[in-house]
């Protein structure tokens, strides 16, 4: 269930996504939050860094883990503008996030029900709560505009 600060944190992620678009990257942004404070930020960077793992979520997880000095992000939440892919969901589960909130759904590569439902796999040893659709309109609009300009 969506919390009171969810939209504010997603708006911060949306600002990071807009910055990524300005750099020619697919506009996805993410923030990691612990006890109401942003401790990690990331935007898509695979093109500029020549790194296929440089998704916004991975960049934000790395930033948060470095700040905490621990790869386990127990009690943290991640807010991202687009439904995470399988790679990112895997990283989120390994990080032991408490909750992930995303904006727009991704029917092509989303792993939270869009293309597959890895996020709900009961066999996995850690369960993270995944919630989608928060600010889905603005998050989806940014992606649609980005790709429309490239066609």
């Amino acid at each position: 269930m969506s919390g009171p600060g969810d939209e504010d944190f997603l708006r911060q992620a949306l600002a990071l996504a807009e910055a990524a678009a300005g750099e020619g990257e697919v506009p996805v942004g993410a923030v990691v939050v612990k006890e109401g404070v942003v401790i990690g930020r990331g935007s898509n960077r695979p093109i500029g860094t020549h790194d296929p793992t440089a998704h916004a979520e991975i960049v934000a997880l790395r930033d948060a883990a470095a700040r905490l000095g621990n790869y386990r992000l127990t009690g943290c939440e991640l807010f991202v503008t687009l439904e995470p892919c399988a790679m990112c969901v895997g990283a989120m589960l390994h990080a032991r996030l408490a909750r992930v909130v995303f904006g727009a759904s991704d029917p092509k590569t989303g792993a939270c029900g869009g293309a597959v439902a890895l996020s709900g796999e009961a066999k996995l040893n850690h369960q993270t709560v995944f919630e989608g659709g928060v600010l889905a309109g603005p998050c989806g609009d940014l992606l649609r505009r980005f790709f429309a300009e490239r066609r």
Side-chain angles (χ1 to χ4, degrees), residues 53-106:
T53 69
H55 289 194
E57 301 96 309
I58 302 295
V59 174
L61 289 171
R62 287 175 179 160
D63 187 29
R67 286 177 197 242
L68 293 182
N70 193 338
Y71 75 99
R72 294 273 169 96
L73 301 176
T74 307
C76 294
E77 301 171 299
L78 186 141
F79 297 82
V80 61
T81 57
L82 181 64
E83 179 181 352
C85 71
M87 174 184 69
C88 292
V89 168
M92 292 167 187
L93 294 172
H94 283 292
R96 304 296 197 262
L97 292 177
R99 188 167 78 114
V100 174
V101 177
F102 64 89
S105 294
D106 186 350

Side-chain angles (χ1 to χ4, degrees), residues 2-3 6-7 10 79-81 101-104 131-139:
S2 209
D6 290 0
E7 287 190 8
L10 258 173
F79 297 82
V80 61
T81 57
V101 177
F102 64 89
E131 301 172 26
V134 178
L135 295 182
C139 292

Side-chain angles (χ1 to χ4, degrees), residues 135-151:
L135 295 182
C139 292
D141 289 346
L142 177 59
L143 286 158
R144 280 187 285 281
R145 279 194 313 273
F146 177 82
F147 288 114
E149 290 171 4
R150 276 145 187 79
R151 289 185 186 123

